[in-house]
């Protein structure tokens, strides 16, 4: 049978038949029926706004792949910088490519002294690290005269390298500022994740980074590196479509991520577990959720209607971190919550399963990060995904500046009323 769809405009009797390719049909064909016809699709629930070859996600089956590689294999065998290279270039690096990429990233981790002395030092003492991060990413672009030369391949590659290399430095700097601690400069002898932990936590000369914790940090970076057209990435693409520079676009994407419905959920999970307090309180909490008094944070997803594959990997990693750092008292509460919810028809019938945030907050906490830093930890690796989408959009001939249409619901034309007569 033909893979087509026929749409009839009952007002005029006109009809069009368009092909369906892999479940998608080109809605531009609707303009043939009536150029003023609009599709109303709030939050893009049924709209594919772009073609993308970066990340594949099947929410019904719980599948996530970067450039075709299953997330489980990347989590087990790869490392974050290799994954970033894969997202940006489409292929895993060869030995030589990997060596050059790693060297280049490590040698671009420094930031201009004025970023710290003049910019970051200007924040109020209790500024939220994510607010500082968003602003600092936008400000970073002002240090490079070639930031806007996005049509030149070499220049765009340079900005991409700078952003990936410098986001951990900026993140750590924001944290150290908020703690009143002196800034720790990047150390070129350390790998990406170890360098980040060192910039975050080094106090004095005897700080040693435990390789288990570095591995866990790197794993969390891999799992958060991309997730196709989520709110932040869509923001990145929309801003990129106006040909804004990648620093400004990444700052916009990070702002979207800052929202509690997006990158802020892991923070909400930890606060929820703290509120529940003990395993005994779990049944009562679940009953409250079912009665509509709040949500079970870290459960449910717009796309996953099955176990989020990242949640499975993170849960396993959590145990490895707890072996080193001691078990979080909140782990038992989380396990009991998960077990109770997965046996309860309310959650089962709505296909609500643990998402990436259910266990990630517990690991972040065990690694020593304050709750305020959780979204920043998400933004660091997601920068790689954002930049891959930025470049893909710029090179996509189907794309133009984003400009959705609206369904106007305001009042009709009327005459201006003088203030004395209102
Ligand atoms: N706890 C209890 N009930 C829930 C939950 C939850 N966590 N999530 C969804 N539901 C219920 C809704 O009440 C609704 O029930 P109804 O059909 O009886 O009205 C049904 O499940 C469908 O929920 P929607 O809100 O329509 O689903 P949507 O796709 O819009 O929401 C979301 C997805 C925002 C993630 C939601 O599941 C949620 O709020 N989860 C908790 C917050 C969270 O963990 N966010 C992280 C997402 S992952 C990320 O951004 C990295």
């Amino acid at each position: 049978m033909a893979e087509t769809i026929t749409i009839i405009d009952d007002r005029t009797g006109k009809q069009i038949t368009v092909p369906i390719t892999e479940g998608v049909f080109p809605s531009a064909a609707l303009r043939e029926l009536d150029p003023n016809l609009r599709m109303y699709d709030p939050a893009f629930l049924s709209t594919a706004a772009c073609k993308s070859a970066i990340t594949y996600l099947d929410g019904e089956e719980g599948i996530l792949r970067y450039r075709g590689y299953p997330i489980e294999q990347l989590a087990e065998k790869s490392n974050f910088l290799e994954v970033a290279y894969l997202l940006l270039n489409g292929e895993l690096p060869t030995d030589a490519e990997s060596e050059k990429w790693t060297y280049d990233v490590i040698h671009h981790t420094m930031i201009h002294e004025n970023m710290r002395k003049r910019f970051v030092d200007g924040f109020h003492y209790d500024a939220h690290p994510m607010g500082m991060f968003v602003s600092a990413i936008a400000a970073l672009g002002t240090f490079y005269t070639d930031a806007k030369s996005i049509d030149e391949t070499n220049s765009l590659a340079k900005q991409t390298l700078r952003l990936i290399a410098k986001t951990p430095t900026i993140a750590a700097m924001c944290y150290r500022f908020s703690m009143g601690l002196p800034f720790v400069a990047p150390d070129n002898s350390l790998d990406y994740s170890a360098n980040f932990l060192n910039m975050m936590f080094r106090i004095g000369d005897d700080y040693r980074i435990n390789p288990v914790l570095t591995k866990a940090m790197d794993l969390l970076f891999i799992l958060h590196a991309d997730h196709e057209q989520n709110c932040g990435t869509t923001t990145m693409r929309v801003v990129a479509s106006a040909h804004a520079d990648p620093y400004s676009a990444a700052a916009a994407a990070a702002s979207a991520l800052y929202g509690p419905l997006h990158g802020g959920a892991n923070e909400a999970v930890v606060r929820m577990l703290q509120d529940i307090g003990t395993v005994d309180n779990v049944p009562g909490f679940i009953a409250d959720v079912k009665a509509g008094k709040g949500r079970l944070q870290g459960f449910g997803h717009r796309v996953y209607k099955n176990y989020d594959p990242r949640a499975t990997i993170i849960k396993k990693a959590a145990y490895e971190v707890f072996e080193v750092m001691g078990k979080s008292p909140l782990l038992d509460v989380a396990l009991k919550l998960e077990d109770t919810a997965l046996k309860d028809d309310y959650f089962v019938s709505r296909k609500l399963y643990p998402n990436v945030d259910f266990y990630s907050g517990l690991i972040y906490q065990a690694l020593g990060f304050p709750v305020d830093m959780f979204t920043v930890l998400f933004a660091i690796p997601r920068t790689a995904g954002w930049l891959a989408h930025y470049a893909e959009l710029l090179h996509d001939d189907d794309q133009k500046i984003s400009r959705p249409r609206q369904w106007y619901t305001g009042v009709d034309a009327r005459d201006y009323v003088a203030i004395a007569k209102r």
Side-chain angles (χ1 to χ4, degrees), residues 302-323:
R302 171 60 58 78
V303 181
Y304 290 117
K305 300 302 168 196
N306 199 325
Y307 228 99
D308 179 338
R310 300 168 300 173
T312 318
I313 300 166
I314 287 189
K315 188 174 171 184
K316 190 167 155 267
Y319 284 101
E320 288 163 18
V321 172
F322 293 148
E323 277 209 2

Side-chain angles (χ1 to χ4, degrees), residues 368-416:
F369 292 100
V371 173
D372 274 0
M373 275 296 286
F374 288 6
T375 314
V376 178
L377 298 173
F378 193 154
I380 294 170
R382 185 54 60 86
T383 302
W386 289 334
L387 290 162
H389 285 272
Y390 182 96
E392 187 176 64
L393 177 125
L394 287 186
H395 298 124
D396 182 347
D397 291 338
D398 284 355
Q399 293 293 339
K400 294 169 182 287
I401 184 168
S402 281
R403 203 325 183 169
R405 304 306 295 256
Q406 66 168 3
W407 177 356
Y408 178 71
T409 59
V411 293
D412 251 346
R414 51 181 166 170
D415 288 326
Y416 181 78

